[in-house]
Amino acid sequence: MEERKSLIAGGNLLQAHTWKGLLEACGIHVELRGEALLGGVGELPADLHNVELWVGESQFAKAQAQLSALDVASPQWQCVQCHELNEGNFELCWQCSSERSESHN
């Protein structure tokens, strides 16, 4: 059996499941550890209730690259309708609700 390595640890169960789903969609087998301990928050020492993602050693670098890609900031774009500057992760203009198009910056 392949050795496993802890990829990331944190207390946010929703984020851990999101990352797990992303990695599994890329063909990386992920083991989620510590999920059952979150019910004991307040009763257990703080370092015991982290959720951890574990991956096989051979897939560790690929998994790190996938998670690192999430931190890439999308460039801002300007709305062609009202010319408002929008954050890169917006699909609609926050000012006028126009859809983002390919002609945006």
Side-chain angles (χ1 to χ4, degrees), residues 1-5 29 33 55-60:
M1 180 148 175
E2 182 180 25
E3 286 290 316
R4 304 191 69 67
K5 291 178 77 172
H29 177 72
R33 295 183 185 176
V55 297
E57 218 171 286
S58 64
Q59 295 183 314
F60 188 78

Side-chain angles (χ1 to χ4, degrees), residues 1 13 15-16 30 33-34 37 45 47 49 53 56-57 67 69-70 72 75 87-90 93 97-98:
M1 180 148 175
L13 185 59
Q15 187 66 60
V30 180
R33 295 183 185 176
L37 294 175
D47 61 340
H49 53 75
L53 296 179
E57 218 171 286
L67 291 182
L70 294 177
V72 176
E87 294 300 320
N89 59 338
F90 290 7
C93 174
S97 300
S98 293

Side-chain angles (χ1 to χ4, degrees), residues 61-80:
K62 182 179 177 184
Q64 277 186 317
Q66 288 295 326
L67 291 182
S68 293
L70 294 177
D71 293 334
V72 176
S74 300
Q76 292 182 330
W77 57 276
Q78 188 172 22
C79 178
V80 294

Side-chain angles (χ1 to χ4, degrees), residues 30-47:
V30 180
E31 182 182 340
L32 190 60
R33 295 183 185 176
E35 185 174 15
L37 294 175
L38 288 178
V41 172
E43 301 294 324
L44 295 172
D47 61 340

